[in-house]
Amino acid sequence: MNRIRVLPSDLIDQIAAGEVVERPASVVKELVENSLDAGARRIDVLVERGGVVSIRVVDDGCGMSADEARLALVRHATSKIASVDDLGRIRTLGFRGEALPSIAAVSRLTLTTRLPEADAATRIRTEGSEIVEVGPAGAAPGTQIEIRELFFNTPARRKFLKSEAAEAAAIGETMLRLALANPGVHFRLVQGERVALDLPPHATALERARAALPRTSLFVAEGAEAGIFVQALLTPPEESGATSRGLYVLVNGRGVRDRALSHAVTMGFGELIPRGRYPQGVLRVEVPLGDVDVNVHPQKSEVRFARPADVQSAVRHVLLHRVANAPWVPSRSPVEARQAPAAAVVPSSPGCYDRLPASARPAPAADAPGAGPPPEGVRGYFAQLEVIGQLHGTYVVCQAPDELVLIDQHAAHERIAFERLRGAFAASRSQSQGLLPPLVLELVPEEVDIAREHGELLLRFGFDLAPFGERSLALRGAPRLLGGADPEPLLRDVLAELSATGQSRAVEERDEHVLATMACHSVVRAGDALSLEEMRALLRELDGTDRRANCPHGRPVLLRMPLSELERRFGRA
Ligand code: ADP
Ligand code: MG
């Protein structure tokens, strides 16, 4: 058996690096955080080949003296905390003195730094923790750090890197998050030849969010509760996304992942956001320094609250209050909304959002009497129903000899469209309808990358896309079966669907989800008046569809009430 021993320091450095430096985006995060802690007003990040070849971060911050620069590369050397008490009141993004030595341990690093009052800069070069060169150099005040050949000495880690495009996208996300949290700082990200981000200083978080997020119809909800300040800059519910990745959560200026807080945002929208859709935008939460522990995660991407329930309810309440007064809830006065908080808190309607005010939309009736598929084996079940009329512009009311049948027109149309799309997709028929002139779409770099990566698949869905500048694409054709619907929001949802599920879902499942999203966009909205003839046509078409009779998002299409049930309720039987 081996004897116990203390590990050599270069090995300790590599082990520590394993926790902090997971991928190129982690390097960018740590270096940019250092620049922000150094008071930089402008931060330039230059990346080659997804950061695997090189990453350079240039700032105009406070810089370091030659002695400080040497110390900065030593493990546990930091200028940001000095005592145990300081750990409870951290204002800076860094505090462990681990990032620079960790990054140095797994790369070739060049640090060039100059105090504003100094005549010259200091340059230090290291290779896997070893200092190979120190000396004066010419450079502007501030700090530049260049990382080359990340993981050159840790092949195991290198192997786990994703494609260059995926690493570049992760860097873009990291920069976006940092930029949203620091609106006053000029951020610039250049990936290879491409300027992926260029955000001049903004006066407010809202201006920054509008410039940084291409979906710019953000509304603001702001308030404080129990000493917790909440500011949410969010898209209205109809622009909600297929994943929660487009919701950036910032706690005391630090980008974090916090499912409970993301969930609180969704709850704050009440019924306006259906299950499976997520609000997009920025959530900023400020809590007293003593009420949050930032020292719980190696990459500092999670925090722990002393009073998590208070923080969640603050978020929920600020949003509920704002949402109740939102312009897109026309028929619901603020008074009603306040009187019925319980109804607004419980999101009860899965499926896609159909632009109806929450109060007009009932909960799904999966377990109500008679809800369920039409009887097995009855051919032409829907066609034999007699249409009586339309209820609330939403439900088709029908009678059969022994039952009352209500059909959710939106869910029904969605199912029909879904089956058509699925059939056409399976048959690989070209489904693209040319757009003249093409529609030019402004996208974020990640969306451009995803569109590029999945170009062929998107064409099979009917999206004919061509490159058009660095942050945009030209849509030359849209899915034919989309009807008159706007292809742009659909494409955004489909791209989100593809990026969220790229790795994790089976191909068929992914395709079904995309088709369901397309179906949802293509069909009659609840609230559209239908003529009797249109309703009958809808019923005939329903006969051609799958007997599971749920819309592809899982909402029931019909509700059946046997006459015997009516008789029982009216005391006739
Ligand atoms: P931490 O940020 O946790 O203190 P780091 O290893 O990231 O640890 O950095 C170590 C120290 O190096 C910092 O505390 C800071 O004093 C100095 N430093 C790092 N980057 C910069 C920079 N861009 N400008 C000025 N000082 C820096
Ligand atoms: Mg740091």
Side-chain angles (χ1 to χ4, degrees):
M1 188 185 124
N2 291 333
R3 314 304 311 186
I4 186 168
R5 68 173 78 88
V6 173
L7 297 174
S9 69
D10 55 341
L11 181 49
I12 295 177
D13 288 344
Q14 280 209 3
I15 292 170
E19 301 240 293
V20 180
V21 191
E22 194 191 332
R23 60 194 299 189
S26 353
V27 173
V28 170
K29 172 175 183 286
E30 293 295 338
L31 295 182
V32 172
E33 285 189 351
N34 280 345
S35 298
L36 290 164
D37 283 344
R41 307 311 304 159
R42 173 172 178 149
I43 301 171
D44 281 76
V45 178
L46 303 120
V47 172
E48 293 298 335
R49 313 233 343 236
V52 186
V53 169
S54 81
I55 297 170
R56 194 146 67 91
V57 177
V58 183
D59 72 46
D60 61 356
C62 64
M64 288 175 269
S65 68
D67 288 345
E68 286 170 331
R70 270 175 186 276
L71 261 181
L73 293 161
V74 173
R75 213 158 2 97
H76 309 310
T78 178
S79 56
K80 299 169 194 175
I81 57 172
S83 70
V84 171
D85 287 346
D86 289 344
L87 259 187
R89 45 172 184 250
I90 290 171
R91 289 174 189 284
T92 48
L93 295 165
F95 51 87
R96 294 186 185 129
E98 252 177 7
L100 283 184
S102 295
I103 295 166
V106 293
S107 69
R108 303 184 208 277
L109 176 150
T110 307
L111 163 66
T112 310
T113 185
R114 179 179 151 196
L115 296 171
E117 65 275 15
D119 303 331
T122 305
R123 174 163 297 157
I124 303 182
R125 238 165 28 84
T126 66
E127 279 182 13
S129 291
E130 223 166 290
I131 295 188
V132 293
E133 192 187 315
V134 189
T143 302
Q144 289 190 36
I145 298 186
E146 184 174 43
I147 307 302
R148 303 197 70 86
E149 292 174 70
L150 184 61
F151 301 136
F152 80 97
N153 53 356
T154 49
R157 190 44 72 93
R158 237 193 130 90
K159 261 207 315 250
F160 281 100
L161 290 178
K162 302 214 177 98
S163 68
E164 270 173 31
E167 296 301 338
I171 290 173
E173 270 291 303
T174 299
M175 283 290 281
L176 180 60
R177 198 177 287 274
L178 289 159
L180 288 169
N182 299 277
V185 177
H186 188 159
F187 279 84
R188 198 154 182 278
L189 169 64
V190 181
Q191 305 238 32
E193 305 278 274
R194 181 176 99 179
V195 179
L197 201 76
D198 191 0
L199 294 164
H202 288 99
T204 64
L206 180 61
E207 278 176 35
R208 171 56 55 93
R210 289 206 165 122
L213 304 172
R215 277 145 283 212
T216 46
S217 50
L218 299 171
F219 76 96
V220 184
E222 237 173 30
E225 186 178 293
I228 298 151
F229 171 78
V230 177
Q231 186 193 49
L233 314 168
L234 299 173
T235 53
E238 68 269 23
E239 290 176 45
S240 61
T243 76
S244 60
R245 289 191 346 162
L247 177 66
Y248 297 91
V249 177
L250 309 172
V251 174
N252 291 1
R254 190 186 293 278
V256 297
R257 283 190 303 262
D258 190 315
R259 292 175 66 118
L261 279 187
S262 305
H263 186 59
V265 173
T266 310
M267 299 286 276
F269 271 92
E271 290 182 315
L272 286 173
I273 288 220
R275 202 176 305 156
R277 303 294 295 178
Y278 301 88
Q280 312 282 295
V282 184
L283 174 70
R284 292 176 55 210
V285 176
E286 303 285 333
V287 301
L289 292 182
D291 284 358
V292 59
D293 186 355
V294 295
N295 187 24
V296 294
H297 188 273
Q299 289 156 27
K300 299 167 290 178
S301 53
E302 284 168 24
V303 294
R304 195 172 294 147
F305 295 107
R307 299 172 291 139
D310 285 1
V311 183
Q312 289 150 28
S313 20
V315 169
R316 217 169 48 234
H317 293 154
V318 166
L319 270 161
L320 273 174
H321 181 76
R322 178 69 178 80
V323 164
N325 297 295
W328 18 265
V329 190
S331 72
R332 195 162 210 240
S333 75
V335 178
E336 283 170 75
R338 268 199 298 279
Q339 282 167 348
V345 179
V346 186
S348 58
S349 183
C352 70
Y353 175 67
D354 51 14
R355 282 169 225 254
L356 255 197
S359 55
R361 185 140 37 92
D367 54 3
E376 286 292 333
V378 181
R379 290 179 70 86
Y381 169 79
F382 290 102
Q384 54 96 38
L385 296 174
E386 185 187 337
V387 177
I388 296 172
Q390 196 186 19
L391 182 67
H392 285 306
T394 303
Y395 307 102
V396 181
V397 184
C398 310
Q399 69 173 354
D402 54 358
E403 63 185 350
L404 163 75
V405 180
L406 296 175
I407 292 165
D408 181 319
Q409 69 192 41
H410 176 74
H413 265 123
E414 203 175 320
R415 159 126 317 263
I416 294 163
F418 175 70
E419 300 247 328
R420 263 196 220 148
L421 286 165
R422 189 162 60 176
F425 183 72
S428 290
R429 283 197 301 272
S430 167
Q431 308 155 58
S432 203
Q433 171 146 32
L435 292 174
L436 267 175
L439 198 59
V440 176
L441 306 174
E442 287 269 326
L443 300 168
V444 295
E446 294 83 79
E447 288 175 320
V448 176
D449 288 337
I450 292 158
R452 217 173 272 149
E453 198 175 321
H454 294 283
E456 234 168 88
L457 179 66
L458 286 164
L459 189 58
R460 280 188 66 206
F461 285 121
F463 293 103
D464 183 2
L465 290 159
F468 193 88
E470 280 158 358
R471 301 186 65 178
S472 43
L473 289 170
L475 186 61
R476 296 184 300 201
R480 185 174 294 277
L481 291 170
L482 201 52
D486 182 357
E488 178 169 353
L490 167 61
L491 179 61
R492 290 189 190 285
D493 276 357
V494 169
L495 291 177
E497 194 70 61
L498 288 175
S499 76
T501 58
Q503 265 86 31
S504 59
R505 264 193 209 143
V507 170
E508 302 79 42
E509 201 187 336
R510 177 201 65 193
D511 293 350
E512 295 243 319
H513 270 83
V514 172
L515 292 169
T517 303
M518 291 174 64
C520 175
H521 278 260
S522 71
V523 301
V524 181
R525 297 286 173 185
D528 287 359
L530 296 179
S531 68
L532 273 181
E533 201 31 63
E534 285 170 319
M535 288 188 266
R536 290 192 191 110
L538 176 66
L539 294 183
R540 282 195 299 277
E541 286 189 282
L542 264 181
D543 276 322
T545 67
D546 193 306
R547 278 300 156 103
R548 281 174 299 167
N550 274 336
C551 86
H553 280 118
R555 264 182 334 128
V557 168
L558 82 164
L559 185 144
R560 302 167 60 213
M561 171 82 75
L563 279 189
S564 58
E565 175 67 20
L566 286 176
E567 281 162 0
R568 195 181 62 75
R569 296 212 182 181
F570 284 112
R572 285 171 172 269

